[in-house]
Amino acid sequence: MLEPNGSDTAPMNDVHTPSPALRLYGADISYFSAKVRAYLRWKGLPFEEVHANRDVYRHTIIPRIGFPVIPVVHTPEGAWLQDSTDIIDTLESQHPDPSIQPPGAVQQLVARLLELLGDEWLLLPAMHYRWHHNRDWAIQAFGALAMPEGSEAEQRSAGERSAGPFAQAAELLGAEPAMHAAVEQAYLGLLQELNTHFEQHPFALGAHASVADFGLYGPLYAHLYRDPASGAIMKQRAPAVVRWIERLSAAPVQPLAAFPATGQIPETLLPILARQMREQLPDLTETAHRFQAWLTLNPDEPVPRVIGKHAFRLEGQTGQRITRPYALWMLQRARETYLATRGDGRVAADQLLDQVGGDAFRRFEDPPPLRRDGMSVALVSA
Ligand SMILES: N[C@@H](CCC(=O)N[C@@H](CS)C(=O)NCC(=O)O)C(=O)O
């Protein structure tokens, strides 16, 4: 069944023929919709996008998924997929060529690490810049999405309502006023490192786009390039990042270039991985400790989306942020890739991790195996 409900069928992107197409419920302003959209385009999978307005949430997303979220993908076979990572994994297993998975063990590890960086850590600068530098624009954009036919005033008040929880999330994720300078310093440092990388390589791992690119593209396109004040910073400071975004926004160039030879990791990724190890890994370590403690006290409870707050460090400053077990599920993917790597591959992975200060990743004390459960996780054994 392709038509979920008669009232929401306004495909916005109809250039991908022929039908039957995948249907992506998403939005231009949405981080994880951008990740899935870039993937679908790169793969050349026919799709049409439905803007998730109020009616679409009410009549399609909430009844099908159980809670309000985008992106959601409806397949021509009738499956409803939620969560950008599961959407990409599922479609990738159905359409393996051209693969977005690089062939080498170390490349696969780096791809998973950069996916984790994009999906989880860059939430902080993305939400900070959107809600502390582009707030009026974002409220209007949320309003226009919710009520495309509404007047400016109606859109504004719908925007205030629907943007509320997202605006609050910027502070909850750690962008409290005292941390603004640190968040910006870290982001501008990363932007510079990414610019140096993309001056020399078309994609994260070289000649071919991988899951690393789609993970990074979510925040860097949807928030940090599209939001006007953030886009101005990117255009001024990081033109090679802008060109990478534009490359990923276009259809794939056929035939696709091959991944670089097994094992090769561009040198220009090392400062980016070192930053991730310095900034994100301590945060994930603390998240895992909090999660273990929570599990001990609540062995039979469903895991909530947030289990309190913890301290984190950025650019020498200490802030507070919410503790989200979901981030551990994303980390688990990178850890599984690492732990499955044996022999020469493991030696090379360890050498790379040593070069980037990745001891905390190598020796991470994994929580019990997790599966995704909506916007949180559950124990695989539960
Ligand atoms: N991890 C999920 C996150 C999806 C997500 O956070 N989507 C945002 C829009 S980009 C949303 O709808 N959030 C609703 C909420 O946070 O309650 C994914 O990868 O799809």
Side-chain angles (χ1 to χ4, degrees), residues 30-32 57 68-71 83-85 119 166 305 326 375:
S30 148
Y31 198 108
F32 293 98
Y57 273 106
V69 70
I70 49 175
D83 191 283
S84 63
T85 300
D119 268 39
F166 290 91
R305 202 171 156 182
Y326 178 94
M375 301 285 265

Side-chain angles (χ1 to χ4, degrees), residues 29-36 57 67-71 82-87 119-120 123 165-166 169 223 305 324 326 329-330 372 374-375:
I29 50 175
S30 148
Y31 198 108
F32 293 98
S33 302
K35 177 183 169 193
V36 171
Y57 273 106
F67 54 94
V69 70
I70 49 175
Q82 183 262 317
D83 191 283
S84 63
T85 300
D86 280 349
I87 292 169
D119 268 39
E120 290 299 314
L123 275 169
F166 290 91
H223 290 53
R305 202 171 156 182
R324 296 165 49 250
Y326 178 94
W329 177 69
M330 289 299 295
R372 187 182 66 78
M375 301 285 265

Side-chain angles (χ1 to χ4, degrees), residues 121-325:
W121 193 241
L122 299 190
L123 275 169
L124 176 53
M127 298 296 270
H128 164 66
Y129 277 95
R130 171 163 290 175
W131 295 109
H132 303 143
H133 291 289
N134 294 276
R135 189 184 171 88
D136 277 354
W137 178 89
I139 285 174
Q140 194 60 42
F142 269 71
L145 174 66
M147 294 185 70
E149 315 298 340
S151 68
E152 205 177 312
E154 285 167 336
Q155 289 187 349
R156 174 107 211 145
S157 78
E160 296 275 4
R161 269 196 313 280
S162 65
F166 290 91
Q168 220 191 2
E171 287 218 4
L172 293 174
L173 286 164
E176 295 162 340
M179 291 302 284
H180 288 188
V183 172
E184 293 180 15
Q185 190 182 338
Y187 169 64
L188 296 177
L190 173 71
L191 197 55
Q192 171 91 54
E193 291 154 5
L194 287 167
N195 196 57
T196 303
H197 175 79
F198 289 123
E199 276 171 348
Q200 297 173 41
H201 302 279
F203 298 107
L205 282 164
H208 193 307
S210 69
V211 71
D213 295 279
F214 306 122
L216 292 169
Y217 180 87
L220 287 166
Y221 167 78
H223 290 53
L224 296 160
Y225 166 88
R226 272 192 94 252
D227 291 7
S230 313
I233 294 172
M234 187 184 281
K235 282 172 192 134
Q236 199 224 334
R237 290 175 177 251
V241 177
V242 170
R243 288 196 296 278
W244 163 78
I245 284 179
E246 289 166 353
R247 252 193 313 282
L248 268 180
S249 305
V253 181
Q254 297 288 352
L256 295 175
F259 277 110
T262 303
Q264 279 177 17
I265 301 298
E267 286 273 316
T268 43
L269 286 184
L270 299 186
I272 296 165
L273 293 168
R275 176 179 293 282
Q276 177 178 27
M277 295 302 152
R278 194 166 73 236
E279 296 178 356
Q280 188 178 19
L281 257 291
D283 184 68
L284 290 167
T285 302
E286 188 56 25
T287 301
H289 289 156
R290 300 290 175 126
F291 180 55
Q292 290 282 14
W294 184 91
L295 276 180
T296 307
L297 290 175
N298 305 278
D300 302 318
E301 294 294 311
V303 182
R305 202 171 156 182
V306 173
I307 54 168
K309 277 191 161 192
H310 64 271
F312 75 108
R313 304 261 311 153
L314 195 60
E315 302 291 356
Q317 303 296 314
T318 302
Q320 291 281 320
R321 68 196 311 253
I322 47 174
T323 309
R324 296 165 49 250

Side-chain angles (χ1 to χ4, degrees), residues 341-356:
T341 302
R342 307 247 170 250
D344 290 349
R346 175 66 83 87
V347 172
D350 284 339
Q351 275 168 357
L352 176 78
L353 289 167
D354 283 347
Q355 272 181 291
V356 299

Side-chain angles (χ1 to χ4, degrees), residues 35 85 88-89 92 100-102 105-119 205 210-212 273 276 280 330-338 361:
K35 177 183 169 193
T85 300
I88 292 178
D89 280 359
E92 198 58 12
I100 60 157
Q101 172 92 315
V106 181
Q107 292 168 321
Q108 285 172 17
L109 172 62
V110 170
R112 286 273 175 250
L113 286 170
L114 294 177
E115 180 191 31
L116 170 71
L117 178 73
D119 268 39
L205 282 164
S210 69
V211 71
L273 293 168
Q276 177 178 27
Q280 188 178 19
M330 289 299 295
L331 170 69
Q332 177 179 284
R333 295 163 60 78
R335 285 280 300 160
E336 282 171 352
T337 301
Y338 173 70
F361 177 80

